[in-house]
Amino acid sequence: MENRVLYQLVGEIRQQCRFAHLAWENLKRDLQMNDGERVFLHVHALLSHGIKLSKLFWPDEESAR
């Protein structure tokens, strides 16, 4: 893999991890505040970023080509 592509991949992984961490921190805060709508929002964001990370680490066969 070319260095440029590798750096882009690592950058995207770092960004998705930061977003997932932010969603987790907000989720914990909103759980304590008992704000159901915001809890759902942050659970959704956390799962979405987790899915994106999963696809970056384990792409399907079509994406890998």
Side-chain angles (χ1 to χ4, degrees), residues 1-14:
M1 185 179 296
E2 293 181 31
N3 282 342
R4 182 182 59 81
V5 174
L6 185 59
Y7 286 127
Q8 287 176 335
L9 177 63
V10 170
E12 182 66 22
I13 289 169
R14 289 184 68 192

Side-chain angles (χ1 to χ4, degrees), residues 6-65:
L6 185 59
Y7 286 127
Q8 287 176 335
L9 177 63
V10 170
E12 182 66 22
I13 289 169
R14 289 184 68 192
Q15 183 178 35
Q16 292 301 324
C17 287
R18 282 192 304 268
F19 289 160
H21 183 260
L22 182 60
W24 173 252
E25 292 299 320
N26 288 330
L27 173 62
K28 289 191 309 184
R29 181 199 64 216
D30 292 334
L31 275 169
Q32 290 186 354
M33 293 175 54
N34 203 20
D35 187 346
E37 188 172 328
R38 291 185 61 88
V39 166
F40 179 80
L41 171 83
H42 295 304
V43 167
H44 182 269
L46 183 60
L47 290 173
S48 295
H49 294 297
I51 290 168
K52 289 177 184 178
L53 282 164
S54 173
K55 288 181 180 181
L56 288 169
F57 283 114
W58 301 284
D60 58 8
E61 289 183 24
E62 272 187 38
S63 300
R65 291 181 188 164

